[in-house]
Amino acid sequence: MRVFLLLCLLALGNAKPYEPINVMEFMKHYDIMMADSDDDDDDEEEEDDDDNDLDDEDEDCPSGCHCSPRVMQCSDQGQISVPEKIPEDTVILDLQNNDITEIKEDDFKGLHKLYGLFLINNKISKIHPKAFRHLNHLRLLYLSYNLLTEIPANLPPNVVELRFHENKINKIQKDAFKGLRKLHVLELGANPLANSGIELGAFNGLSTLYVGMAEAKLTAIPKDFPTSMTELNLDYNKIIKVEIEDFIRYKNLLRLRLGFNQIKSVENGSFATIPNVREIHLDNNRLKKVPPGLSSLRYLQVVFLHGNKISSVGVNDFCPSRPSIKKNLYTGISLFANPVKYWDIQPATFRCVSGRRGVQLGNFRK
């Protein structure tokens, strides 16, 4: 069950963070995800059989909201603050697409069972340091599309997925995520974050698997991300090169996204420290040749290099000279939108690709 939940969260990591959450669709998987919880709820009373009926209205529901057992929906209601008198048994609280500007100290008081809190697309610029106290069951906290300038203090200790996509965060302080030992997905994309804005130790203590920092202002790959990462998304930044020391700490990486940057060179040996990587995205950069070291990656299956300035491809650029070294065949190599002449590429160049459709060439336009 834990593996299933993890795969779901990683899949969300690749989804567009700004898309509104369909709470009813989410609730279809709610029982599965709650069954994965480590917490003991010995003090909870047995639920009635009709608790799963999401159409059963609660007469105590705050004005303008729709309440079902364990779910409260107040999205698209023009709310300027968090509604009062939220039912204490609420598990999912949907406050998307409103005009909330501030989260106060007691806004979530008594919501000890809260599992998912969706605050996407509001105008939140201030969160009280004690706003999340006692939310020990909270696993999903979505704060994307707001006006936050910094990471809120005292985040819920058991949160698994945390999203700050497209705020105004330009600095991450040391120990900003202190105590979040169960965090798997951290989305920080589309914030004005530069390398100088990430303090050393900002990610201390995290065992995060997915980190997203696309559409920021990074000019180099940060060296202080969690060492546990299996997926890193740095698309749409201003990174100009890849160096040997960039991935030394990230030995668990399986997917690396560096598309739509300004990368001109990849230093030889840069990928040697991520031997288990499955996907590398370097499309839409300024590379003039295939990055060195790809042929030594035994498990690499997908390489995106389209939209660069690659003019030639060597016979051993992708495949090792000894076939036994390669454990996984390539399923996708993209080289289109490069000035390479495909008729000059030797057929043996793609000898370790699973099939003819696994290679994409041509369509180069000046």
Side-chain angles (χ1 to χ4, degrees), residues 151 155 162 164 172 175-180 186 188 202-203 206:
I151 303 297
L155 291 164
L162 187 58
F164 294 105
I172 304 179
D175 296 323
F177 307 101
K178 185 177 180 180
L180 306 187
L186 177 58
L188 290 162
F203 303 98
L206 288 184

Side-chain angles (χ1 to χ4, degrees), residues 85-243:
K85 298 180 180 180
I86 300 172
E88 291 187 357
D89 64 347
T90 299
V91 172
I92 301 297
L93 179 55
D94 179 11
L95 293 166
Q96 301 177 89
N97 306 321
N98 281 293
D99 298 316
I100 299 170
T101 59
E102 180 182 356
I103 303 299
K104 300 181 178 66
E105 179 177 356
D106 294 327
D107 279 347
F108 308 120
K109 185 178 180 179
L111 302 183
H112 302 291
K113 298 180 182 180
L114 196 61
Y115 184 94
L117 177 56
F118 305 135
L119 289 160
I120 299 171
N121 195 26
N122 277 274
K123 299 176 182 178
I124 300 169
S125 61
K126 183 179 180 180
I127 297 179
H128 194 279
K130 295 183 179 180
F132 301 123
R133 71 190 187 284
H134 308 312
L135 297 184
N136 293 329
H137 282 76
L138 194 68
R139 298 296 188 273
L140 309 177
L141 178 56
Y142 288 21
L143 283 158
S144 298
Y145 273 75
N146 278 285
L147 303 174
L148 294 170
T149 58
E150 59 184 14
I151 303 297
N154 304 314
L155 291 164
N158 292 309
V159 68
V160 174
E161 185 176 355
L162 187 58
R163 292 182 177 273
F164 294 105
H165 185 88
E166 194 152 330
N167 277 267
K168 296 182 180 296
I169 299 170
N170 58 18
K171 184 177 182 179
I172 304 179
Q173 297 178 328
K174 181 180 179 180
D175 296 323
F177 307 101
K178 185 177 180 180
L180 306 187
R181 300 186 182 279
K182 297 183 179 180
L183 187 65
H184 290 330
V185 175
L186 177 58
E187 178 58 66
L188 290 162
N191 281 283
L193 275 166
N195 291 80
S196 58
I198 304 174
E199 291 189 3
L200 186 65
F203 303 98
N204 279 348
L206 288 184
S207 57
T208 307
L209 300 178
Y210 170 88
V211 174
M213 202 176 286
E215 301 177 77
K217 295 183 177 181
L218 301 176
T219 56
I221 297 170
K223 309 295 192 297
D224 198 35
F225 283 137
T227 58
S228 55
M229 284 189 311
T230 59
E231 183 165 356
L232 176 61
N233 184 355
L234 297 178
D235 287 346
Y236 292 96
N237 275 282
K238 299 179 180 180
I239 299 169
I240 58 175
K241 60 182 177 180
V242 177
E243 300 177 314

